Amino acid sequence: MLVVENEPAQRQLVRRRLEAEGFQVELAPDGEAALTLIQSRDEPFDLVLTDLSMPGIDGRQVSETLARYRPSVAVLCMSANPDAVPHIGPDDIPVRVMLKPFSADDLYHAVRDAITRSTDLTSVAEAEIVLAHAGLSRLAQALEASRTTRVHTLDLVVAARELRRIREQE
């Protein structure tokens, strides 16, 4: 997972808490470094835990970018200001925001919940893709059958015209 936090002490505290629970953690000091790290990896992170309030590219922009380009990555946000918590992402998929300070136990459960929710959404999306593909396959078959019927109909029309022309010549 990736922890994005501009305050070094907070970044290290979160890292220690997560590593104590067995998670592998990488760090980014700001949103720009986070997006660069995310882009450079072949395998996506399971989770990105980002502070909302950072100079430059903030946590909201990191979250929106992930939702657009790496939708399978779970996102969990942190904020010290409960009044500054924005809505992030599509209406039907809210992003969870943890208010600072939080306990190690709260962090663990929020991370597990975010990863589980992301995995569930990925499974639902994959099932929808399979259904859509099956629907498209049926549509393609129906279109081919329709095309074949149109070709046969045109062949019959051409044959009837040809027969009429031959009869008229006789």
Side-chain angles (χ1 to χ4, degrees):
M1 86 179 45
L2 175 63
V3 174
V4 187
E5 170 64 61
N6 63 310
E7 295 179 23
Q10 182 73 20
R11 193 169 55 238
Q12 291 302 327
L13 176 65
V14 171
R15 175 186 215 164
R16 283 192 305 274
R17 287 180 173 177
L18 291 170
E19 286 178 342
E21 295 293 342
F23 294 106
Q24 292 181 344
V25 179
E26 292 190 43
L27 300 176
D30 56 41
E32 185 176 348
L35 293 177
T36 299
L37 185 58
I38 290 165
Q39 263 186 328
S40 68
R41 289 176 52 103
D42 291 332
E43 289 294 318
F45 288 101
D46 292 326
L47 175 103
V48 173
L49 175 60
T50 183
D51 186 19
L52 284 173
S53 301
M54 294 183 291
I57 297 175
D58 63 13
R60 179 186 179 98
Q61 292 165 312
V62 170
S63 299
E64 289 172 346
T65 302
L66 282 169
R68 190 174 304 121
Y69 297 106
R70 297 272 178 130
S72 65
V73 175
V75 176
L76 180 59
C77 297
M78 306 176 279
S79 178
N81 183 358
D83 296 328
V85 175
H87 178 76
I88 299 171
D91 294 336
D92 58 341
I93 307 172
V95 174
R96 182 166 178 189
V97 178
M98 293 182 27
L99 295 178
K100 297 177 192 176
F102 43 81
S103 70
D105 194 46
D106 289 340
L107 177 61
Y108 173 77
H109 289 295
V111 165
R112 277 284 172 215
D113 183 52
I115 291 172
T116 300
R117 186 171 14 138
S118 178
T119 301
D120 292 346
L121 289 173
T122 299
S123 296
V124 168
E126 288 171 352
E128 290 293 325
I129 289 169
V130 167
L131 288 174
H133 184 269
L136 289 173
S137 294
R138 285 192 300 276
L139 178 61
Q141 290 171 350
L143 288 172
E144 180 60 27
S146 173
R147 188 183 76 71
T148 301
T149 301
R150 285 192 316 268
V151 167
H152 289 294
T153 301
L154 287 173
D155 287 347
L156 290 173
V157 168
V158 169
R161 284 182 183 163
E162 185 63 23
L163 283 174
R164 252 188 269 137
R165 189 184 63 76
I166 292 172
R167 283 188 189 153
E168 289 172 358
Q169 288 178 352
E170 292 177 350

